[in-house]
Amino acid sequence: MPGIELEGRDRLRTGARARVLLRVPQGSTLKLGENARFGIERVEARGLFRAALQVIAGAFRFTTDALARARHRDVSIKVRNITAGIPGNGVWGNATAER
């Protein structure tokens, strides 16, 4: 549902031609493309923002807003296999079973 707060162990799946935008409490965003599978292993927003995220399949982009860069965070994103690009303020990639 739009606007719902996600927690550790939550899972998301997008369908064909579907996209999802997640806003992270410390100011970052995570975009998932079509046919994506994604999980939140853990998240803690007290003081230092900490999160462990897992991209199981599909395209994703994790971006930090320029104003949020000064905020401290500890975010790890796990993928099985990835082709990734790192622009100045984020990371994007596409996880597939083959590569």
Side-chain angles (χ1 to χ4, degrees):
M1 262 173 75
I4 192 169
E5 187 171 325
L6 300 175
E7 300 176 354
R9 299 188 189 161
D10 281 347
R11 300 286 180 251
L12 296 174
R13 182 181 297 229
T14 61
R17 296 184 298 191
R19 309 280 189 279
V20 96
L21 172 68
L22 302 174
R23 296 189 190 278
V24 181
Q26 56 67 252
S28 298
T29 58
L30 179 71
K31 298 174 187 175
L32 299 174
E34 66 179 340
N35 299 315
R37 292 184 312 171
F38 172 79
I40 300 172
E41 292 184 0
R42 67 175 171 78
V43 65
E44 181 183 315
R46 291 176 266 134
L48 175 67
F49 178 80
R50 297 173 194 261
L53 312 173
Q54 182 179 26
V55 178
I56 301 161
F60 71 96
R61 181 175 181 138
F62 182 85
T63 307
T64 299
D65 185 306
L67 297 175
R69 280 190 221 164
R71 298 182 192 145
H72 296 291
R73 65 193 161 282
D74 177 10
V75 177
S76 64
I77 302 172
K78 292 198 299 188
V79 293
R80 184 184 326 173
N81 298 299
I82 184 172
T83 300
I86 302 175
N89 62 344
V91 61
W92 65 266
N94 188 23
T96 65
E98 299 82 36
R99 57 182 176 96

